[in-house]
């Protein structure tokens, strides 16, 4: 059995000092990231350049000694590999050519045909496997089907994911077929990451919180359960983290319903509530407010300690409730690491 701290937590072990990594730890708040992105040309070129993508993955590990490295890539590379045109508008974020009709869906590639486009990502994983410190766990990832589909339908991120909700009610068959295609392709993609050397995988469902009632079961729970079952059949013992962001009360029971080993918590749920209602079923990850990484100082330290304290009775991986933002101060990450590790 590995004695890596992240893998211990994912097996359900309680540790005196929780392992720690941060969502978006490789990113624009780091000057060395901005320099490497400029060298690559742009964000997508960086994602598809294995040497440089591995370099930016390693940068925060060198600086802070996080317990995990997360593969540098993006959740939208998968729909791109299915044939959906993708680009990034500077200062605005991702754009895709929307897929909203049966014809649009038929024009996409089969799930098993994503690997040619994604081969450079698997190469990044292989480089990282070689170059990471032996105590650092390598996390692969993908978007969960609902979140990926919501970008594919809207052609961009929208505040309420309205276009995807509309397609879901107006042409449920097409929407469900899109979810199924992404579900299958996600298994292919994550399985290939594991074969290349990823030790853990994480499913990001950033927009799970916009799904109400039975839709949450159909489009957040069911696809995650399918993906997790198939991955665990192919890779016995593979630890999986699920992040149904803003699921609120529906965080309770999510691990059991999907088979995930760990549930990542956003910062809208209180750590005390989650310790009682979510951590009873296994490891939890989270959940410091990312704004504190901009503010720094005493509130950052006291909030971080409060979260460690709340989860100290069970398995916990320290993280933020969402990604670290470009405005965060790199010195505040050092403050955070001292608050956690002492
Ligand atoms: C919804 C989503 C996306 N991508 C991702 C999600 C799910 C998590 C979340 O809710 O934040 C996940 C993601 N995106 C990125 C990673 C790499 C690993 C890491 O966490 O360090 C991961 C795990 C790099 C990235 N993905 C993106 C950047 C910034 C691009 C740049 O350098 O200009 C990075 C480092 C761009 C991106 N990518 C996406 C958006 C909406 C944007 C624009 C918003 C933004 O700029 O933050 C889609």
């Amino acid at each position: 059995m590995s004695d890596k701290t992240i893998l211990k937590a994912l097996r359900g072990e309680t540790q005196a000092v929780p392992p720690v990594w941060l969502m978006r730890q490789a990113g624009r708040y780091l000057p060395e990231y901005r320099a490497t992105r400029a060298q690559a040309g742009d964000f997508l070129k960086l994602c598809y350049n294995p040497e440089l993508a591995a370099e930016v993955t390693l940068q925060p590990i060198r600086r802070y000694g996080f317990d995990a490295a997360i593969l540098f890539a993006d959740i939208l590379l998968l729909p791109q590999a299915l044939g959906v045109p993708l680009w990034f508008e500077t200062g605005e974020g991702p754009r895709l050519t929307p897929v909203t009709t049966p014809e649009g869906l038929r024009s996409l590639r089969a799930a098993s045909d994503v690997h040619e486009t994604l081969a450079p990502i698997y190469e990044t994983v292989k480089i990282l496997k070689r170059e990471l410190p032996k105590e650092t766990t390598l996390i692969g990832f993908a978007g969960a089907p609902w979140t990926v589909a919501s970008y594919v339908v809207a052609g961009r991120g929208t505040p309420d994911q309205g276009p995807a909700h509309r397609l879901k009610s107006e042409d449920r068959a097409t929407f469900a077929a899109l979810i199924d295609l992404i579900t299958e392709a996600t298994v292919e993609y994550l399985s290939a990451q594991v074969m290349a050397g990823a030790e853990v995988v994480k499913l990001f469902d950033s927009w799970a919180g916009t799904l109400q009632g039975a839709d949450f079961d159909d489009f957040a729970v069911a696809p995650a359960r399918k993906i997790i079952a198939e991955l665990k059949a192919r890779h016995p013992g593979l630890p999986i983290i699920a992040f149904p962001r803003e699921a609120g009360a529906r965080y309770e029971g999510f691990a059991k319903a999907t088979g995930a080993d760990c549930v990542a918590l956003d910062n809208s749920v209180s750590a005390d509530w989650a310790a009682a209602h979510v951590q009873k079923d296994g490891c939890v990850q989270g959940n410091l407010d990312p704004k504190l990484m901009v503010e720094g100082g005493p509130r950052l330290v006291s909030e971080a300690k409060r979260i460690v304290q709340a989860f100290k009775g069970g398995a916990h991986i320290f993280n933020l409730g969402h990604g670290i933002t470009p405005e965060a101060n790199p010195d505040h990450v050092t403050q955070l690491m001292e608050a956690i590790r002492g």
Side-chain angles (χ1 to χ4, degrees):
M1 283 250 182
S2 169
D3 59 4
K4 292 185 181 187
T5 52
I6 294 273
L7 298 178
K8 280 186 180 175
L10 291 169
R11 292 199 296 266
E13 285 185 35
T14 305
Q15 297 172 91
V17 176
V20 51
W21 67 281
L22 304 183
M23 284 188 262
R24 292 278 173 100
Q25 62 191 19
R28 287 160 292 183
Y29 73 109
L30 290 179
E32 60 268 37
Y33 169 83
R34 297 195 298 268
T36 309
R37 191 185 59 178
Q39 189 189 340
D42 62 37
F43 172 65
L44 278 178
K45 287 189 184 129
L46 177 55
C47 290
Y48 286 112
N49 181 324
E51 292 293 337
L52 296 183
E55 167 58 24
V56 295
T57 306
L58 290 164
Q59 285 168 350
I61 307 303
R62 288 189 203 115
R63 222 189 228 259
Y64 304 113
F66 291 123
D67 294 273
I70 183 159
L71 165 68
F72 188 84
D74 196 84
I75 66 163
L76 299 176
L77 305 184
L78 184 70
Q80 186 182 34
L82 284 168
V84 184
L86 168 72
W87 67 103
F88 279 77
E89 294 285 351
T90 321
E92 289 189 44
R95 294 288 183 272
L96 306 93
T97 305
V99 177
T100 57
T101 61
E103 300 74 53
L105 193 59
R106 274 197 299 275
S107 74
L108 299 182
R109 290 188 194 111
S112 55
D113 292 341
V114 295
H115 299 300
E116 198 181 315
T117 306
L118 297 169
I121 311 307
Y122 311 147
E123 197 49 43
T124 307
V125 175
K126 287 183 192 156
I127 297 171
L128 288 168
K129 197 65 200 160
R130 250 185 357 249
E131 297 196 355
L132 275 169
K134 63 175 189 335
E135 66 276 14
T136 314
T137 300
L138 179 57
I139 302 177
F141 74 93
W146 160 250
T147 287
V148 173
S150 77
Y151 285 92
V152 169
V153 171
R156 60 194 297 166
T158 63
D160 56 358
Q161 305 314 89
H165 285 287
R166 276 195 291 283
L167 184 65
K168 171 162 59 58
S169 52
E170 285 163 14
D171 183 356
R172 201 159 178 100
T174 298
F175 184 75
L178 176 63
I179 290 282
D180 286 346
L181 174 63
I182 296 169
T183 300
E184 246 186 274
T186 302
V187 170
E188 288 292 319
Y189 182 36
L190 289 176
S191 186
Q193 290 181 28
V194 173
M195 287 188 288
E199 300 170 277
V200 173
V201 297
K202 178 169 175 185
L203 267 180
F204 285 89
D205 211 349
S206 304
W207 296 101
T210 70
L211 289 164
Q212 304 297 317
D215 278 348
F216 186 85
D217 299 318
D218 293 347
F219 298 116
V221 176
R225 185 173 60 230
K226 267 192 218 161
I227 291 166
I228 292 169
E230 183 60 29
L231 285 174
K232 288 195 180 251
R234 292 189 194 186
H235 312 281
L238 173 71
I240 300 174
I241 305 171
F243 182 35
R245 191 170 73 90
E246 301 207 334
R250 293 162 302 184
Y251 269 119
E252 182 167 7
F254 196 84
K256 273 194 175 152
T258 59
D261 301 272
C262 175
V263 175
L265 304 161
D266 67 80
N267 48 285
S268 72
V269 292
S270 92
D272 290 327
W273 177 83
H277 294 267
V278 187
Q279 201 180 22
K280 65 175 163 45
D281 293 330
C283 185
V284 293
Q285 178 180 284
N287 67 340
L288 186 76
D289 185 344
K291 284 198 208 80
L292 289 168
M293 305 312 297
V294 183
E295 184 181 317
R299 234 164 54 88
L300 165 62
V301 170
S302 63
E303 278 299 293
K305 289 190 168 167
R306 201 179 54 77
I307 288 167
V308 170
Q309 192 65 21
F311 291 125
K312 75 169 199 278
H316 176 216
I317 298 170
F318 193 97
N319 206 311
L320 306 179
H322 202 191
I324 188 166
T325 59
E327 301 75 32
N329 181 338
D331 294 339
H332 296 164
V333 180
T334 309
Q335 286 178 2
L336 172 68
M337 297 306 276
E338 278 166 11
I340 297 168
R341 290 180 175 169

